Amino acid sequence: MQGVTERTTAWINVATVERNVARLAGALTPGATLCAVVKADGYGHGAAPVARAAQAGGATKVAVVTADEARRLRADGVAGELLVLGPVRGDEV
């Protein structure tokens, strides 16, 4: 569309992320765990804050696509189990 200069903006409330994850975690079958996917920088909303909010809500794992995304989460202080969904090269192990 020629001449359009407006951009879409999304405002993420991490308290809402935490609350939504808590609702999902509360609905799990006993013994099941919840994995929050925060690939692509938390879908553009900030992987670390979204990951921490998901963990606070009860997610026991956090998933990303690349080893570099996992490394950045660790550098940003995100603890816990990280799952890399994509292929990992030998030099990334």
Side-chain angles (χ1 to χ4, degrees), residues 1-86:
M1 294 172 46
Q2 191 173 9
V4 175
T5 59
E6 295 178 14
R7 300 273 185 201
T8 301
T9 302
W11 297 92
I12 302 304
N13 182 326
V14 292
T16 301
V17 171
E18 181 179 342
R19 187 172 54 251
N20 288 345
V21 170
R23 287 188 74 187
L24 291 169
L28 293 175
T29 302
T33 60
L34 183 65
C35 180
V37 179
V38 298
K39 66 187 189 100
D41 194 33
Y43 295 94
H45 306 303
V50 172
R52 284 191 285 273
Q55 289 174 324
T60 57
K61 296 178 179 78
V62 174
V64 293
V65 171
T66 67
D68 189 53
E69 287 178 315
R71 207 173 1 265
R72 281 181 287 189
L73 284 177
R74 285 287 189 248
D76 287 339
V78 175
E81 190 172 344
L82 299 179
L83 173 64
V84 177
L85 299 172

